[in-house]
Amino acid sequence: MNKANFRTRSIAAACGTALSAVIAIGAAAAADMPIKAPPPIQDSGNLFWAEIDYLGWSVKGDHPPPLVTTSPAGTPRPQAGVVGLPTTTVLFGDSSVNGAWRSGGRLQAGYWFDPQRTRGIEASFFDLQDASTGFATDSNAHPIVGRPFFNVLTMQPDVSGVGFPGAITGSVAVNESSRLLGFDTHYRQYIGTWSGQQVSALIGYRYLRSSDNLSIPEAINAVGFGAFSSINSFGATGNFHGVDLGAAGEFKRGPWMVEWRGTLALGAVFNSAAINGSTTANFGGGVTTQPGGLLALSSNIGNFSQTRFSVVPELALKASYQFAPRWRLVAGYDLLYWTEVQRAGGLIDTAVNPNLAPPAAGGGPLRPMPVFNTSSLMAQGFNLGVRYNY
């Protein structure tokens, strides 16, 4: 795999085609809409507005492959911890991590160019609290502990032992953290009223950033051989840049107001990966450190990048109540979907050539290899905040 795979010409062409289609659809819809002059705005001198929200969102978690396994006491060593056998239990991996609810914050602001509020600009930034998952076990808690992989030399499932009675004692941990943030800015143009709502068209720019960091440290004492310690780490980052198109509406009745917004961003996601590994061995008092661990070897250690076409639809609903002059209490719901995002679990190739493990003997296929198994990311949740007009 090349360390850079940019397809900007195809992305630009796709964005241009989609932009033309959306503009045409919007023009047709506006032609059918009963256009009316904007109603007068009370206190039209309040052209600026700002809002701060608390976010309670859930984000689709990462899904790493099986990373730590165990088997019941008495399991023969060739079968201990091997994935696919009925006696094997996966202790970590093969399930979603960091998918729980998390807190965050959002800042929004805007400016109307005219007192009738028919044209304006607005911007929004959100940042969610880091989500983290930690797992650890050792041969005291589970006498049989293994790190599973697929052996490309035997073409069979295999395992690297962390604990086995009478032969190996050790410990292993898995830690992963995830973060999501974003920014967008739009030009807003009033296009008419429909069913009592003031409807506007939106065009602007959207940026999103997702990052995961996964590490697997382990320490092993092999009876009659010596002590080993190693660490594998996988860092994934996705940065989305795109044109954001959509519509927004608001309906007022007394102090109450209901708002909705639907947008679709078209652009590119620039995915990057950082894979590292090292192993330290202590034999007879001599300590050596070499690059490479079980899943991060010379065949895939390094920094890699990839660019893909991506789409980001978003839906937002809000209700607000004016509780004081210029002040509103706001509550709402947001749903965001992002395609082709690189997560840390998607960087892990579990097919391994044991000849490349330190001390490397050489020979055989170059596995594990750098992989970009992307997935979709969905974020959704509720918000509560206050808005001030000035």
Side-chain angles (χ1 to χ4, degrees):
M1 177 183 293
N2 294 329
K3 295 190 177 181
N5 180 22
F6 294 96
R7 298 178 290 176
T8 54
R9 290 189 178 179
S10 61
I11 291 171
C15 288
T17 302
L19 177 59
S20 299
V22 172
I23 292 174
I25 293 172
D32 296 335
M33 186 177 295
I35 304 297
K36 298 180 182 179
I41 302 296
Q42 186 177 5
D43 193 9
S44 60
N46 299 335
L47 300 182
F48 291 91
W49 63 269
E51 180 176 325
I52 183 169
D53 297 320
Y54 165 81
L55 305 180
W57 282 15
S58 67
V59 180
K60 180 183 177 182
D62 190 18
H63 198 283
L67 297 176
V68 183
T69 57
T70 188
S71 296
T75 302
R77 189 168 181 180
Q79 302 173 18
V82 175
V83 170
L85 297 180
T87 54
T88 296
T89 299
V90 177
L91 296 177
F92 188 92
D94 201 26
S95 61
S96 178
V97 298
N98 293 341
W101 291 82
R102 64 181 86 171
S103 296
R106 179 170 59 195
L107 296 174
Q108 301 180 83
Y111 174 73
W112 295 102
F113 295 125
D114 61 327
Q116 289 73 37
R117 302 183 186 180
T118 61
R119 298 175 296 111
I121 57 171
E122 53 192 32
S124 175
F125 170 79
F126 78 89
D127 191 3
L128 297 181
Q129 181 183 38
D130 288 6
S132 60
T133 297
F135 167 84
T137 191
D138 56 31
S139 51
N140 291 321
H142 297 90
I144 295 178
V145 182
R147 293 189 54 200
F149 66 96
F150 183 84
N151 192 323
V152 297
L153 299 181
T154 64
M155 299 304 292
Q156 295 291 329
D158 207 338
V159 70
S160 174
V162 176
F164 192 85
I168 305 171
T169 60
S171 62
V172 61
V174 185
N175 302 290
E176 181 169 357
S177 62
S178 302
R179 188 177 185 185
L180 177 66
L181 58 85
F183 168 81
D184 61 78
T185 183
H186 295 92
Y187 171 75
R188 182 165 179 162
Q189 174 66 56
Y190 171 85
I191 57 176
T193 59
W194 177 58
S195 299
Q197 303 174 69
Q198 297 186 54
V199 181
S200 300
L202 302 171
I203 183 169
Y205 162 79
R206 177 179 288 277
Y207 169 75
L208 291 171
R209 178 181 177 87
S210 168
S211 60
D212 295 321
N213 288 286
L214 186 152
S215 63
I216 313 170
E218 65 175 317
I220 302 169
N221 186 6
V223 176
F225 288 93
F228 303 83
S229 64
S230 70
I231 185 168
N232 298 173
S233 64
F234 301 86
T237 302
N239 289 288
F240 173 84
H241 300 269
V243 176
D244 208 17
L245 307 168
E250 60 182 44
F251 175 81
K252 294 181 180 179
R253 176 165 293 181
W256 291 94
M257 182 166 66
V258 175
E259 301 169 81
W260 60 266
R261 173 182 300 234
T263 59
L264 177 66
L266 308 170
V269 55
F270 299 87
N271 291 317
S272 60
I275 303 175
N276 291 288
S278 65
T279 298
T280 300
N282 187 340
F283 294 106
V287 179
T288 59
T289 299
Q290 301 182 57
L294 176 64
L295 299 175
L297 299 172
S298 58
S299 54
N300 67 333
I301 286 177
N303 298 313
F304 307 89
S305 62
Q306 180 191 66
T307 302
R308 293 193 176 187
F309 176 72
S310 178
V311 298
V312 181
E314 183 181 21
L315 174 66
L317 301 173
K318 277 186 180 180
S320 64
Y321 179 80
Q322 184 172 342
F323 65 92
R326 302 190 180 188
W327 287 95
R328 284 187 173 274
L329 181 65
V330 182
Y333 170 79
D334 297 272
L335 173 64
L336 182 147
Y337 190 82
W338 178 10
T339 66
E340 302 294 348
V341 185
Q342 185 60 57
R343 309 299 299 270
L347 299 175
I348 301 175
D349 181 12
T350 57
V352 175
N353 176 3
N355 286 342
L356 301 181
L366 295 177
R367 299 294 294 270
M369 63 186 295
V371 294
F372 277 92
N373 294 321
T374 59
S375 61
S376 297
L377 183 153
M378 185 173 71
Q380 63 173 331
F382 300 93
N383 61 79
L384 180 65
V386 291
R387 181 184 303 168
Y388 179 67
N389 293 279
Y390 58 97

